[in-house]
Amino acid sequence: MRDNAEKDAHKNPHLIEDRIVHAALSGRIAPGERLGEKELSEIFGVSRTLVREAMMRLQARGIVEVSARRGWFVIEPSVEEARHTIDARRALEVGMLVTIDRASPAMIRALRAHVRAEQKAIASGDRAERSYLLGHFHVCLAETLGNPVLASLLQDLTTRTVLIAALYQSSHDAHESCGEHVEIIDALEQGNMTEAARLMDVHLRHVEKALNYRNVSNRLDHLKAALQGTTD
């Protein structure tokens, strides 16, 4: 059984990292979660060498980190890193829409099919699938518009965004996010790339605004304020 898994891993050397990225996008693994080489080796039925190679690729993509004390673990972005991630997405995604001439009918059909899947996941209450599809819309958009380089970059940036949303307790409503995706597609279908770019900028600003940075960044300040006024 293990030999077959090893063969599968060699056929698809990115299988382990793909599964981890999908789990992160789905919200199934949390920021800071430890990813032990031994445990992953057992889960995937492969050698620790293959696991370590996958972890190193994920580290290069900014999805995991490693420390001598904790081993491999899912990133826990700081407030500054979170803001930089959203800024990078804004530059890439708005820029992508500004530079294209027109979206073909086939592209629009593919994007609307993706949004229908989002709506189905929202209606069914499937939080994991909803989280994955809402984040993956941006990757799907780049793929549909024919830019695999941007799609690859956005895969990593949207994964980081989902982890950021979990860490900073995002209040961004799924229905609102899906509705904004529909508006972007409508603008693309009308051939109004300037409006599509503006709507994407608004959408990403809503994503950032929903992040409760204060909840994490001010915990120490709150603790100090609470304890400084105490008496024996």
Side-chain angles (χ1 to χ4, degrees), residues 32-177:
E33 186 156 341
R34 186 177 177 278
L35 300 170
E37 289 182 7
K38 181 176 182 293
E39 291 79 7
L40 291 176
S41 174
E42 293 173 355
I43 290 169
F44 289 101
V46 299
S47 68
R48 293 181 66 167
T49 298
L50 288 178
V51 169
R52 192 173 303 115
E53 289 172 355
M55 291 297 101
M56 290 173 69
R57 288 193 293 270
L58 286 172
Q59 182 184 30
R61 294 169 62 180
I63 307 300
V64 303
E65 295 178 337
V66 66
S67 75
R69 183 175 60 85
R70 297 174 62 186
W72 297 102
F73 60 95
V74 180
I75 60 164
E76 295 178 281
S78 66
V79 170
E80 184 178 18
E81 289 168 338
R83 288 180 174 139
H84 287 168
T85 297
I86 299 295
D87 287 344
R89 285 189 59 185
R90 187 178 298 118
L92 288 173
E93 298 190 56
V94 173
M96 173 180 67
L97 293 174
V98 167
T99 55
I100 64 171
D101 295 325
R102 174 172 284 275
S104 70
M107 293 176 183
I108 298 300
R109 285 195 296 272
L111 292 170
R112 291 206 184 281
H114 188 97
V115 166
R116 284 194 297 273
E118 290 179 14
Q119 293 166 336
K120 182 179 178 181
I122 292 169
S124 69
D126 188 337
R127 293 176 61 88
E129 185 69 3
R130 178 190 75 189
S131 175
Y132 173 78
L133 289 169
L134 288 172
H136 197 69
F137 170 81
H138 300 266
V139 181
C140 178
L141 179 59
E143 290 175 340
T144 302
L145 296 177
N147 196 321
V149 175
L150 268 179
S152 178
L153 290 171
L154 287 172
Q155 174 83 288
D156 297 342
L157 288 172
T158 52
T159 301
R160 289 174 66 88
T161 304
V162 170
L163 294 169
I164 288 164
L167 185 62
Y168 295 104
Q169 300 182 345
S170 173
S171 60
H172 200 210
D173 182 72
H175 289 89
E176 179 185 355
S177 186

Side-chain angles (χ1 to χ4, degrees), residues 160-211:
R160 289 174 66 88
T161 304
V162 170
L163 294 169
I164 288 164
L167 185 62
Y168 295 104
Q169 300 182 345
S170 173
S171 60
H172 200 210
D173 182 72
H175 289 89
E176 179 185 355
S177 186
C178 184
E180 289 170 354
H181 291 171
V182 171
E183 291 176 354
I184 291 167
I185 298 171
D186 288 344
L188 288 172
E189 188 171 33
Q190 294 160 13
N192 192 340
M193 302 306 158
T194 301
E195 177 63 6
R198 186 192 69 81
L199 289 168
M200 180 63 77
D201 181 65
V202 170
H203 173 59
L204 292 174
R205 291 184 188 281
H206 286 167
V207 170
E208 181 174 27
K209 187 177 180 181
L211 298 175

